[in-house]
Amino acid sequence: MSTWSIASLNPVQRKIVEHKTGPALVIAGAGSGKTRVITHRVAQLIHSGIPASSILLLTFTNKAANEMAQRVGRALKNSTEQQKIIHGTFHSVGSRFLRRNAKLLNYNNNFSILDSSDSRDLIKASLAETVGKPGKYFPKAAVLQNMFSLAFNRFCTQKMILDQPYHERSFHLEQLISVDFPNFEENTETILNILATYRHKKKRGQVMDFDDLLENWLELLLRHGEGLPLCRQIQYILVDEYQDTNQVQANILYRLSRPHKNLMVVGDDAQSIYSWRGADFGNMLEFPERYQAVTYNMEENYRSSPEILDAANRSINYNTRQFEKNLFSSLAEGEKPLVHHVWASQDEAELVLEKILSFRDEDISLNEMSVLYRNHVQSAALQVVLTHAGIPFVVHSGVKFFEQAHIKDVTAFLKVLFNPLDEIAWMRLLRLLPGIGNTTAHRIFRVFQSQQAVRLTKDNVELQKLIPKKALESWNVLLEIFQQMLEESVTPSHMIGLLYKSYYREVLFSSFENAPQRETDIRYLEEFAGNYNKLEAFLNELSLVGSSIITDHEAEQQDNQDTLTLTTIHQAKGLEWKVVFIIGLTEGLFPHQRSLGTEEQIEEERRLFYVAMTRAKRHLLITAPVVSSGYSGGISKRSRFINELAEETINTEIHTRDEYSYGSRGGQTQFYF
């Protein structure tokens, strides 16, 4: 074995790496070198004679698990040992357990694993078998899939698994529908029946979806754990990002570690920001008591300047349910975070552009800058301003605001008003109507094409005979909406409002699992369109922005290109930049209005703000508009998180209101009613 040294670690890191046996909680503050500590810990265990094959390393992505194992191999200069470590995500390690022991749960060892798309297809089949043809606004398969998964991740308990057979478990789905999906409450019984059919089909077909891998792994451990060879083989367990585990994952770890208690979990409760998908950071807070564990605090930060950390510490310590945070840095002093008070999102966008250009003049490349926001809707105005200025940017999550499906649905209606023979827009629009697929949509459009006009009159027999009975009600609603939208005084913003209220809202909520968030996007689109009096100017702007954005994939192909990053804070976790802008600090947007109900929700929003602040290495700029985007359309107020920043830890600039005007001439339409 190679010469092995931990001399480069700081004193706390060394203690963690040299931890002997028994349970341990490592509270790893942002930028404190947690990956390095985990890999050194694994390498130290192997160096001290622990067989690599008895070590289990769990992370939340296979990429992270593989990178950590490779770093262990490099540290030991022994790739053979690295390959023996049992490592992966909870799902991949769970599948390994189940492949070896499937028969104990009445599965064959060659069971299939459904990916997300396969799972949706099976839910569609279950829907057809249970309901036949559902009503017009019954939830689509993707919405049902999200419901089923959320119910499992939030409410699955060990008692449920032991007391109820697989096909009868519904994980309080009715409670979830009542709270999170009230639009579908009248369909609760039908949805429960669909879930039961789906679970029957999976078991009968010898298939498991991703949630089944965890559910069945936990059942395997509960009923047969102590007799499983793999359980006896594993003697040391390390878990990364423990604050993101749900109850099922926490119970799996408890069962796995019972014989030896050698469980070390690493995480940061201040970066627990995924409760909306079932994560329970109570797992971390309760760990010391549940396991009688040793606790280590990694508080030396190697990323951010002392000034940024001071502001971040003061902010997060408003939270009461947490381990207290006192990150410190030995890096050179820098400048205090700068908070800009602006009027609205347009002023904010212009200001951010000005600062980006200024930093670039100081020889800081665009690659070293990022703009973070709570929700994609907050980046829309900035995308337009950056496009006009010729600043290349990548939307880190790969989702471009104006390219999202629901935004394209709404703009399709506007496009056919401006150009009645726009085939792509008509095809998209027509397929939203019940009973109209590609073939019927093509036939309808061919009528418009042959008549060189959109004749929606009753005497247009050629058109009327193509509208299916199922679509008639929606078709007539659309005719009324088109007439209202084409009135002389109606602006693009009013068009969007009319369309959404009278028609598209029901389509949205039955089609998308995150409909409330998408509703916010459409409200913002309506507000953004208020900058344009004429349809032509508005549509030209959308086309310009859509064609200029670089996707993640394109950015990877152009590694040498200097590009600014735009990203949600959730997507930015684990990343860092020299310059970070946090935009949209308006109450109702950040913290989000759906998170104002309880102190627990507000504390998660504050953790999200803390994550954003601690992405910055040298420069942190925060913008706080007073006008809300996408909610009231009127005066709101600046975020409470701005008020919580201690005066002595920040610099503040207050900007006067500026006016922006977009106007252009409109286009002529050829609609006849």
Side-chain angles (χ1 to χ4, degrees):
M1 197 155 296
S2 69
T3 305
W4 170 244
S5 171
I6 55 172
S8 61
L9 302 178
N10 70 35
V12 174
Q13 291 173 334
R14 277 201 293 275
K15 279 184 183 176
I16 296 165
V17 168
E18 291 174 333
H19 177 84
K20 299 298 182 191
T21 56
L25 169 66
V26 178
I27 304 168
S32 61
K34 100 181 142 61
T35 304
R36 195 157 173 253
V37 166
I38 293 170
T39 53
H40 274 68
R41 164 75 176 158
V42 175
Q44 175 73 6
L45 287 172
I46 296 169
H47 182 73
S48 66
I50 303 298
S53 59
S54 69
I55 299 170
L56 171 61
L57 174 58
L58 284 167
T59 68
F60 273 82
T61 68
N62 282 314
K63 182 182 177 187
N66 291 331
E67 283 176 0
M68 283 189 188
Q70 286 164 12
R71 284 173 70 163
V72 170
R74 286 198 297 273
L76 290 169
K77 297 189 173 65
N78 188 334
S79 60
T80 309
E81 287 299 295
Q82 159 210 323
Q83 289 163 12
K84 294 178 186 173
I85 301 165
I86 302 170
H87 63 280
T89 63
F90 278 88
H91 293 92
S92 65
V93 175
S95 71
R96 192 184 307 194
F97 269 82
L98 292 165
R99 288 277 178 224
R100 296 188 185 186
N101 305 283
K103 288 181 179 172
L104 294 173
L105 297 180
N106 299 315
Y107 284 92
N108 298 327
N109 288 346
N110 66 339
F111 65 85
S112 299
I113 298 174
L114 301 175
D115 64 19
S116 189
S117 174
D118 295 333
S119 168
R120 264 195 311 278
D121 288 343
L122 194 60
I123 290 171
K124 280 180 192 171
S126 306
L127 174 62
E129 188 174 309
T130 309
V131 182
K133 289 197 171 183
K136 186 165 62 170
Y137 298 120
F138 192 84
K140 302 279 194 299
V143 179
L144 293 171
Q145 181 183 38
N146 188 47
M147 281 183 193
F148 299 164
S149 186
L150 274 177
F152 165 74
N153 282 287
R154 284 189 194 168
F155 301 124
C156 177
T157 64
Q158 297 181 91
K159 189 174 187 309
M160 276 181 198
I161 286 177
L162 289 172
D163 291 354
Q164 298 171 353
Y166 174 83
H167 62 275
E168 288 181 13
R169 296 171 199 155
S170 62
F171 309 114
H172 300 310
L173 179 58
E174 67 289 345
Q175 183 181 326
L176 180 92
I177 293 169
S178 172
V179 174
D180 286 29
F181 299 90
N183 280 46
F184 302 122
E185 218 167 344
E186 64 186 43
N187 303 119
T188 298
E189 192 174 335
T190 306
I191 293 169
L192 284 165
N193 290 336
I194 293 167
L195 174 60
T197 304
Y198 176 56
R199 291 178 76 83
H200 271 296
K201 280 181 172 295
K202 286 190 290 182
K203 196 68 183 264
R204 204 162 51 234
Q206 293 288 304
V207 298
M208 298 186 201
D209 63 20
F210 290 147
D211 288 334
D212 288 324
L213 293 174
L214 298 183
E215 181 183 343
N216 289 328
W217 186 13
L218 180 55
E219 181 169 0
L220 188 68
L221 295 173
L222 287 168
R223 298 191 190 281
H224 310 284
E226 290 174 14
L228 301 176
L230 208 46
C231 280
R232 291 197 295 271
Q233 179 183 326
I234 294 168
Q235 294 300 308
Y236 287 84
I237 304 170
L238 286 95
V239 186
D240 188 20
E241 304 286 9
Y242 186 67
Q243 77 280 350
D244 293 335
T245 55
N246 59 29
Q247 279 297 313
V248 175
Q249 290 162 329
N251 286 326
I252 286 169
L253 292 170
Y254 182 75
R255 291 284 155 182
L256 277 176
S257 62
R258 272 180 79 184
H260 49 74
K261 302 285 194 296
N262 293 325
L263 172 62
M264 178 180 279
V265 300
V266 182
D268 182 3
D269 58 297
Q271 296 187 66
S272 176
I273 56 175
Y274 295 113
S275 68
W276 47 275
R277 66 183 189 199
D280 182 358
F281 90 125
N283 291 339
M284 189 159 179
L285 295 183
E286 293 153 15
F287 189 91
E289 190 175 336
R290 184 178 190 182
Y291 287 91
Q292 297 302 298
V294 177
T295 300
Y296 299 98
N297 284 285
M298 291 171 58
E299 295 186 317
E300 183 167 2
N301 174 289
Y302 295 93
R303 174 189 298 150
S304 304
S305 68
E307 291 77 9
I308 290 170
L309 293 181
D310 190 18
N313 284 335
R314 303 277 196 101
S315 174
I316 195 61
N317 283 327
Y318 271 86
N319 279 6
T320 55
R321 193 166 174 244
Q322 65 156 355
F323 298 111
E324 191 173 339
K325 298 291 164 298
N326 288 297
L327 296 187
F328 65 93
S329 173
S330 301
L331 299 176
E333 289 186 1
E335 57 190 37
K336 292 179 182 179
L338 182 54
V339 178
H340 292 274
H341 288 213
V342 296
W343 177 254
S345 57
Q346 185 61 40
D347 309 301
E348 176 179 65
E350 297 283 0
L351 174 72
V352 170
L353 171 63
E354 178 190 320
K355 297 299 178 187
I356 287 167
L357 295 172
S358 175
F359 281 122
R360 197 164 66 169
D361 288 345
E362 294 173 22
D363 289 332
I364 297 176
S365 71
L366 293 176
N367 288 332
E368 294 180 285
M369 302 183 217
S370 182
V371 181
L372 310 186
Y373 36 83
R374 171 67 177 81
N375 197 307
H376 271 301
V377 67
Q378 294 166 289
S379 72
L382 181 61
Q383 289 182 25
V384 173
V385 168
L386 293 171
T387 301
H388 281 300
I391 300 290
F393 59 93
V394 57
V395 180
H396 185 69
S397 65
V399 181
K400 315 167 190 178
F401 180 80
F402 294 108
E403 294 286 309
Q404 296 174 101
H406 53 297
I407 298 296
K408 288 180 78 72
D409 284 349
V410 171
T411 54
F413 287 83
L414 274 62
K415 285 181 177 181
V416 300
L417 292 183
F418 182 69
N419 172 12
L421 297 179
D422 183 331
E423 181 175 1
I424 300 298
W426 269 117
M427 291 299 292
R428 186 177 195 101
L429 181 166
L430 290 167
R431 288 197 302 262
L432 294 174
L433 275 65
I436 295 185
N438 277 330
T439 305
T440 306
H442 271 297
R443 285 175 181 160
I444 292 170
F445 180 73
R446 278 201 293 271
V447 171
F448 297 154
Q449 216 169 26
S450 65
Q451 297 177 353
Q452 280 299 292
V454 178
R455 300 189 185 279
L456 304 176
T457 54
K458 296 273 192 226
D459 61 0
N460 190 349
V461 180
E462 197 179 351
L463 173 63
Q464 294 299 328
K465 69 183 182 187
L466 290 175
I467 310 300
K469 278 187 182 175
K470 195 175 178 183
L472 266 178
E473 185 187 340
S474 296
W475 178 256
N476 290 328
V477 169
L478 278 185
L479 298 195
E480 285 181 33
I481 295 169
F482 277 142
Q483 282 182 296
Q484 293 172 39
M485 289 167 79
L486 282 167
E487 287 175 10
E488 186 67 32
S489 60
V490 179
T491 64
S493 178
H494 291 147
M495 290 177 182
I496 293 167
L498 278 169
L499 173 67
Y500 186 68
K501 182 181 175 185
S502 303
Y503 177 72
Y504 190 72
R505 188 177 190 276
E506 287 184 320
V507 175
L508 183 82
F509 274 82
S510 65
S511 303
F512 297 104
E513 66 271 22
N514 56 346
Q517 181 180 322
R518 291 174 189 258
E519 181 174 49
T520 303
D521 292 346
I522 291 170
R523 290 297 182 204
Y524 177 75
L525 184 71
E526 181 183 352
E527 184 180 312
F528 178 73
N531 293 312
Y532 305 86
N533 293 322
K534 302 294 182 184
L535 192 52
E536 178 186 6
F538 177 60
L539 293 176
N540 283 348
E541 193 73 88
L542 296 196
S543 301
L544 179 67
V545 175
S547 65
S548 71
I549 298 172
I550 300 167
T551 64
D552 276 349
H553 174 71
E554 289 164 343
E556 285 168 15
Q557 307 303 309
Q558 306 169 14
D559 276 342
N560 58 346
Q561 182 169 347
D562 196 21
T563 54
L564 173 73
T565 296
L566 306 188
T567 176
T568 62
I569 302 165
H570 285 101
Q571 291 283 342
K573 190 164 172 284
L575 303 175
E576 59 184 43
W577 294 269
K578 184 177 280 187
V579 178
V580 167
F581 297 87
I582 309 173
I583 65 171
L585 267 292
T586 305
E587 194 77 5
L589 281 176
F590 197 4
H592 197 281
Q593 71 163 10
R594 291 198 303 275
S595 300
L596 300 179
T598 66
E599 193 56 39
E600 195 174 304
Q601 290 173 310
I602 289 166
E603 291 205 351
E604 176 149 340
E605 292 289 297
R606 193 176 285 112
R607 292 194 293 272
L608 194 59
F609 184 48
Y610 173 81
V611 167
M613 293 176 79
T614 54
R615 300 310 95 202
K617 297 202 286 194
R618 299 303 296 169
H619 304 279
L620 175 61
L621 293 86
I622 301 167
T623 56
V626 76
V627 177
S628 162
S629 295
Y631 284 106
S632 60
I635 302 296
S636 181
K637 60 181 180 180
R638 295 187 177 93
S639 169
R640 67 188 68 192
F641 301 151
I642 295 295
N643 299 329
E644 291 171 359
L645 292 171
E647 274 187 40
E648 64 272 20
T649 67
I650 59 170
N651 290 321
T652 303
E653 283 188 20
I654 297 172
H655 301 264
T656 56
R657 183 179 180 183
D658 204 354
E659 298 290 348
Y660 296 87
S661 174
Y662 301 87
S664 184
R665 58 190 202 286
Q668 300 300 310
T669 57
Q670 304 156 275
F671 272 73
Y672 301 90
F673 296 94

